[in-house]
């Protein structure tokens, strides 16, 4: 099967300074929320209505995904569609679609689109116990002095995507001392340092 490369871009601070247009060359791109301020992706996940409204101001023809709960509000916008359905069923709170955020849905969409999925900007952890996001202190985001978000839901939801698509290959790029969660240590998931991410992959 030929490779279809997908670049999934999170908004963790590890991606600051990266040359996104170069890294995204010849790849389908999926991103989250305010990424559109800096880089136009093919698919943008906005679970929050405020982020959908903001993204619609951008004239780019990006497809925007949001929750089924909000979709009726955007009927006149053909590029606003529903987020994908979860590929599994679970009874726990973190397995309910409304408790999935934009990052988890971005990974799920990427898995639907291709078989060689590369992730940047999904840091999970904060370096200083405060919010880790390149857009902190801007419209629709937490201020820089707010506590970091607990990553447990993200960790579980990402692991469920990895397990639900065992024939897809996922590579996570992050800083050298980043620790991959134990539940992500699967045969189809790999971690590499950001300095190894080149456009020749």
């Amino acid at each position: 099967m030929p490779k279809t490369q997908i670049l999934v871009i999170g908004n963790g601070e590890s991606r600051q300074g990266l040359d996104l247009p170069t890294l995204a060359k010849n790849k389908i791109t999926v991103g989250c929320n305010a990424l559109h301020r800096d880089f136009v992706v093919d698919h943008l996940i906005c679970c929050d209505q405020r982020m959908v409204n903001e993204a619609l101001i951008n004239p780019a023809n990006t497809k925007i995904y949001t929750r089924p709960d909000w979709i009726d509000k955007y009927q006149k916008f053909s590029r606003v569609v529903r987020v994908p359905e979860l590929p599994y069923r679970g009874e726990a709170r973190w397995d309910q679609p409304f408790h999935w955020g934009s990052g988890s849905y971005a990974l799920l969409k990427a898995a639907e689109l291709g078989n060689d999925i590369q992730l940047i900007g999904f840091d999970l952890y904060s370096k200083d116990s405060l919010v880790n996001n390149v857009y902190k202190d801007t419209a629709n985001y937490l201020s820089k002095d707010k506590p970091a978000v607990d990553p447990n839901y993200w960790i579980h939801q990402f692991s469920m995507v990895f397990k639900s698509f065992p024939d897809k290959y996922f590579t996570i790029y992050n800083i050298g001392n980043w620790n991959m969660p134990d539940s992500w240590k699967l045969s189809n998931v790999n971690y590499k340092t950001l300095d190894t991410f080149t456009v020749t992959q």
Side-chain angles (χ1 to χ4, degrees), residues 39-177:
F39 181 68
V40 175
V41 291
D42 301 304
H43 305 269
L44 185 71
I45 314 298
C46 299
C47 287
D48 189 303
Q49 290 183 76
R50 295 171 301 174
M51 296 311 308
V52 178
N53 296 338
E54 178 185 321
L56 282 169
I57 297 173
N58 191 320
N61 195 30
T62 297
K63 185 171 285 189
I64 300 169
Y65 299 77
T66 195
R67 300 186 189 281
D69 308 69
W70 321 141
I71 202 72
D72 287 347
K73 299 176 184 294
Y74 302 102
Q75 289 182 349
K76 66 178 181 179
F77 299 100
S78 60
R79 63 188 177 119
V80 179
V81 297
R82 296 169 182 248
V83 290
E85 290 190 14
L86 301 194
Y88 72 100
R89 293 185 181 275
E91 298 302 321
R93 181 181 173 90
W94 56 15
D95 293 319
Q96 304 310 305
F98 198 82
H99 294 290
W100 275 52
S102 297
S104 300
Y105 273 119
L107 178 65
L108 175 55
K109 187 61 195 178
E112 291 185 347
L113 291 168
N115 53 14
D116 181 7
I117 297 107
Q118 301 159 2
L119 296 85
I120 57 174
F122 291 96
D123 296 352
L124 300 179
Y125 321 108
S126 170
K127 292 180 289 187
D128 55 11
S129 77
L130 299 177
V131 62
N132 174 332
N133 194 291
V134 295
Y135 299 111
K136 61 189 178 185
D137 253 1
T138 69
N140 302 320
Y141 277 87
L142 295 172
S143 61
K144 62 184 179 183
D145 58 353
K146 294 293 185 183
V149 177
D150 184 333
N152 282 333
Y153 274 43
W154 302 331
I155 291 171
H156 170 75
Q157 291 160 357
F158 274 47
S159 72
M160 295 307 295
V161 175
F162 299 147
K163 293 172 182 176
S164 296
F165 294 89
D167 57 335
K168 308 294 179 81
Y169 190 73
F170 303 85
T171 305
I172 301 142
Y173 292 88
N174 212 295
I175 56 177
N177 60 353

Side-chain angles (χ1 to χ4, degrees), residues 3 5 7 18-27 29 39 116 118 120 173 192-201:
K3 283 187 178 181
Q5 290 191 325
L7 178 63
L18 296 181
D19 183 354
L20 296 180
T22 298
L23 295 178
K25 188 176 181 181
N26 298 323
K27 297 168 187 169
T29 52
F39 181 68
D116 181 7
Q118 301 159 2
I120 57 174
Y173 292 88
K192 295 182 180 180
T193 55
L194 275 168
D195 61 323
T196 67
F197 196 151
T198 67
V199 296
T200 58
Q201 301 179 78

